[in-house]
Amino acid sequence: MSSLVKVKIYTASEPLVSWIYEGQTVWQAVQKAGVLQRGDCGGRGICGKCKARVEGDVLSLTSEEEEVLSVEEKQGGFRLTCKCHVMGETSVFLPETRIAHLKGGLLMFERYPGVLAAIKKVDTHIPPFNRNNPIPLMERVQWSFKDYELEISSANLNHIAELDQGDGFRINGGLLDKTVLRIHPQGQGRFCGLAVDIGTTWISCALIDLITGELLGETGALNSQIEYGRDILARISYVMDNDTGIEELNEKVVRDISLIVEELLDGLEIGSEDILEMTVVGNPVMLHLFVGLDPRGLGRAPYVGLFRRGISRRAATLGMPMHPAGRVLILPQVAGFLGSDVVACLLAVAGNSLDNFLVLDIGTNGEMVIVKDDMYFACSIAAGSAFEGGGITSGMVARGGAIDRFWLEDGEMKYSVLGIERPEGICGSGLVDLLNVLLDLEVIDETGLIQPDKYAGKWRNTPRGTELIIVDEAESSQGLPLVLNQQDVRQLQLAKGAVRTGIDILMKEAGINPQGIDEVMFAGAFGHYLNPEAVIGIGMIPGFEEHRIKPIGNASLRGALAALVSVREREEAMRLASCITAVDLADHPDFASLFVESMAFK
């Protein structure tokens, strides 16, 4: 058996140590330490995103590294961590990254209106302990809730026992259907719910008081399944190729949600057992992996999974960090790759939109819906991960260190950075802005061809071709230049072409033109930072008037919240899922011609 070797991992906050077997990779050492690295290809050495400076006893550069790394990167000791094999003590230096504060809250309410939750509060009186007729506390509690079943934990009963000092006292019970799950002394404690949006790249959660409707917290984290591939097809492929793939991917998402809940509860006088119900939305592949079901049916025609309607499970069966007898409710899906996140988006905008509107959620796996005269037309789009920084030389997700905007000022290109001053990469909204600026300067023509002679910026020749240096290495947080090359532009063209083709086909199916659409709503983080002028300028969407375009934040999470606090919204979710017409783009007769046309920057 190979011997264990030590890998020191130097981060911005504190050094970490990871022990791995000789011959394993730096990537594996970093993952074992619980640090999530950049990377789109699941460790196959294709994307080039896991670059880091490495020192120590490692094998020589692989052919993949020779091809991907620039001369400067090789001279600086940079390696692809997924291809760098460790033979002895090694050090890896990771760049500073901090989570950026969002420019505006993704949720709309501090207190959610119209609470009609499935969880009810029941007030009752516990009779005093009588020494002449001693009745155990559990029996007195059961008698007080005589119309209901009782399923409280030992710790909960022990806490209530501290009040049982001879006098009677009042308590509140958290009731789910006909079962009391949690009890608190009157005036103390909360009965909470958790809304969860499981995205391919990002998981978002919101904690709410189900009795008052008070929003107690909202946060999220990267979906650590990204280690196995950036998109849903890569994760299906991992399941196909590995006997334990379903279990591994399920464990990742369960752990991610548990850590997010731990963060939400930190500083609150609330325990995980105070969470009595959870609603979950996401695309079909993410939902299958969350439940621990095989998603392979979604990876081949006719793209049908093992379930589509809404389902509920006891929390304990899914390993959720909440009351073990609490309910986890997965909202209904539509069809194919159209999941409950689409339904949740529509729940979120209901009552706040005009008659005819378009909703787009552009992520690694994007969806869009056109609503016309109460008819719903939806499709999923294979936009890829380009607008989340995937496959782009200097791309990254929208977090601290990401350039989110570009503009021209006195002929000079300017940019803004999320969270910190020194940029690490360029996120999706920044890439759209950058393309729009370069189109205005005619550095990129209508076909997407880069023309270096049109711009007196800094250029360099690399094995990847001619690259425009956007940010010098001295100004970046990694000590590496941020660049754009022809391959990056082509990847962005494919992504924007997929989005535009989806819109054009949905408009055709709905029998509506751009002038007939009253509102265009961009959901998610990408839409939150998006510049309407730029998204029109590169031709990603038709020429809507800018005032009609608006970001709506994390609409999927808001929809999950709506279903959490209102049983009526759950009924509406079932109605929406059944009446949405799913449009299969790949089978549409106009798809090929429209896609080719949509690739052009016009």
Side-chain angles (χ1 to χ4, degrees):
M1 179 180 289
S2 300
S3 58
L4 286 171
V5 295
K6 182 167 71 172
V7 178
K8 297 178 181 177
I9 304 165
Y10 292 93
T11 68
S13 52
E14 59 179 325
L16 303 171
V17 173
S18 181
W19 291 88
I20 60 172
Y21 287 108
E22 179 184 307
Q24 288 188 295
T25 63
V26 173
W27 170 282
Q28 290 170 307
V30 175
Q31 292 296 133
K32 190 173 182 181
V35 178
L36 188 63
Q37 300 170 90
R38 295 175 66 193
D40 305 331
C41 64
R44 298 194 298 273
I46 300 170
C47 69
K49 290 296 186 65
C50 62
K51 298 172 190 173
R53 187 163 63 86
V54 176
E55 295 178 356
D57 188 2
V58 295
L59 293 182
S60 301
L61 290 164
T62 64
S63 58
E64 293 93 343
E65 291 176 291
E66 290 284 3
E67 183 176 343
V68 170
L69 296 171
S70 68
V71 173
E72 295 90 342
E73 289 166 346
K74 294 172 191 174
Q75 291 173 345
F78 282 83
R79 300 291 300 268
L80 298 183
T81 62
C82 69
K83 291 297 177 182
C84 183
H85 293 269
V86 177
M87 305 308 292
E89 186 166 328
T90 299
S91 297
V92 56
F93 301 86
L94 299 178
E96 177 179 0
T97 57
R98 291 192 178 93
I99 300 299
H101 294 293
L102 294 176
K103 293 180 178 177
L106 293 185
L107 298 177
M108 296 175 65
F109 308 105
E110 291 183 0
R111 186 176 300 277
Y112 212 93
V115 175
L116 183 63
I119 301 295
K120 307 295 182 186
K121 183 173 75 170
V122 181
D123 177 60
T124 190
H125 177 265
I126 303 297
F129 180 76
N130 186 337
R131 292 185 178 276
N132 296 321
N133 182 25
I135 299 174
L137 176 60
M138 185 67 169
E139 292 181 27
R140 283 179 282 138
V141 171
Q142 182 69 72
W143 180 86
S144 298
F145 290 110
K146 56 182 177 293
D147 294 329
Y148 309 109
E149 297 293 324
L150 196 64
E151 197 163 346
I152 61 174
S153 68
S154 298
N156 194 185
L157 186 64
N158 288 339
H159 176 64
I160 296 299
E162 296 175 5
L163 303 176
D164 195 22
Q165 303 296 325
D167 296 326
F169 55 94
R170 300 199 70 81
I171 61 172
N172 296 322
L175 180 69
L176 174 62
D177 297 330
K178 288 289 186 179
T179 303
V180 175
L181 300 181
R182 189 79 166 155
I183 54 178
H184 288 299
Q186 191 174 55
Q188 299 180 30
R190 293 180 184 266
F191 304 119
C192 299
L194 187 73
V196 181
D197 173 23
I198 306 175
T200 311
T201 302
W202 190 263
I203 300 174
S204 300
C205 297
L207 182 69
I208 195 168
D209 186 315
L210 290 174
I211 306 305
T212 67
E214 182 182 356
L215 183 63
L216 303 174
E218 181 258 332
T219 190
L222 281 172
N223 185 336
S224 60
Q225 290 178 354
I226 203 169
E227 173 186 344
Y228 301 94
R230 187 90 187 202
D231 57 42
I232 54 177
L233 293 180
R235 298 187 200 168
I236 293 174
S237 178
Y238 187 82
V239 170
M240 289 178 173
D241 296 340
N242 296 272
D243 292 339
T244 60
I246 297 172
E247 291 78 9
E248 290 178 58
L249 292 168
N250 172 258
E251 287 172 5
K252 287 288 184 183
V253 70
V254 169
R255 181 176 181 272
D256 289 341
I257 294 172
S258 297
L259 291 174
I260 294 171
V261 170
E262 184 179 319
E263 181 181 347
L264 283 170
L265 295 179
D266 186 34
L268 299 175
E269 294 183 359
I270 299 171
S272 59
E273 288 198 0
D274 290 322
I275 302 173
L276 306 184
E277 192 168 37
M278 175 190 295
T279 51
V280 182
V281 300
N283 68 60
V285 175
M286 292 301 99
L287 295 180
H288 275 66
L289 294 172
F290 169 70
V291 182
L293 291 175
D294 191 338
R296 284 179 289 187
L298 293 161
R300 54 181 178 262
Y303 309 106
V304 177
L306 297 182
F307 77 103
R308 185 177 65 183
R309 295 179 179 175
I311 59 174
S312 66
R313 293 285 187 272
R314 283 172 66 97
T317 65
L318 297 176
M320 286 294 94
M322 55 187 289
H323 194 291
R327 179 164 58 200
V328 177
L329 179 65
I330 298 174
L331 296 193
Q333 305 161 69
V334 181
F337 293 113
L338 293 169
S340 55
D341 48 355
V342 175
V343 175
C345 258
L346 292 173
L347 286 180
V349 301
N352 296 305
S353 56
L354 301 176
D355 291 338
N356 301 331
F357 60 88
L358 166 65
V359 180
L360 303 102
D361 190 349
I362 309 301
T364 304
N365 306 287
E367 303 88 19
M368 59 182 68
V369 184
I370 282 181
V371 179
K372 178 200 174 190
D373 301 330
D374 292 326
M375 295 186 296
Y376 300 82
F377 302 85
C379 69
S380 59
I381 51 171
S385 58
F387 289 131
E388 292 183 329
I392 307 301
T393 305
S394 297
M396 65 180 291
V397 296
R399 57 174 170 80
I403 297 177
D404 68 325
R405 296 296 296 272
F406 283 95
W407 67 93
L408 284 176
E409 191 173 297
D410 298 328
E412 184 179 353
M413 195 181 299
K414 301 287 187 179
Y415 58 82
S416 64
V417 184
L418 293 175
I420 57 178
E421 293 182 3
R422 292 164 66 84
E424 179 187 341
I426 310 170
C427 68
S429 61
L431 290 166
V432 171
D433 260 6
L434 179 58
L435 287 177
N436 192 49
V437 168
L438 295 177
L439 283 166
D440 284 345
L441 292 171
E442 298 183 351
V443 178
I444 296 175
D445 68 14
E446 187 178 286
T447 69
L449 183 66
I450 292 178
Q451 304 176 95
D453 59 315
K454 297 284 188 177
Y455 182 56
K458 293 184 179 179
W459 299 86
R460 69 176 186 180
N461 293 318
T462 74
R464 295 182 293 268
T466 302
E467 293 183 332
L468 173 61
I469 299 175
I470 309 297
V471 178
D472 285 325
E473 60 264 32
E475 298 172 4
S476 76
S477 65
Q478 288 183 294
L480 296 172
L482 305 186
V483 300
L484 185 80
N485 56 45
Q486 190 66 67
Q487 184 178 349
D488 296 332
V489 174
R490 295 304 184 210
Q491 290 298 314
L492 292 164
Q493 274 184 282
L494 289 169
K496 87 97 182 173
V499 174
R500 179 60 183 268
T501 303
I503 295 173
D504 288 345
I505 288 178
L506 279 192
M507 287 195 302
K508 187 168 187 175
E509 291 298 305
I512 195 170
N513 57 33
Q515 290 70 40
I517 294 177
D518 302 311
E519 280 185 302
V520 180
M521 293 175 273
F522 277 92
F526 176 65
H528 188 73
Y529 298 110
L530 205 58
N531 174 10
E533 179 184 350
V535 79
I536 294 172
I538 70 168
M540 184 190 296
I541 64 175
F544 299 110
E545 296 176 12
E546 284 187 33
H547 71 270
R548 294 197 235 166
I549 302 170
K550 68 177 184 180
I552 56 173
N554 193 339
S556 294
L557 185 60
R558 287 212 314 277
L561 262 177
L564 182 63
V565 301
S566 173
V567 292
R568 292 174 184 166
E569 295 291 346
R570 300 176 190 186
E571 296 168 359
E572 176 64 5
M574 289 190 288
R575 186 193 73 82
L576 286 170
S578 65
C579 71
I580 294 173
T581 299
V583 178
D584 188 337
L585 297 185
D587 285 344
H588 197 280
D590 297 331
F591 175 77
S593 59
L594 284 174
F595 183 68
V596 171
E597 184 179 336
S598 298
M599 289 275 287
F601 288 115
K602 60 179 181 180

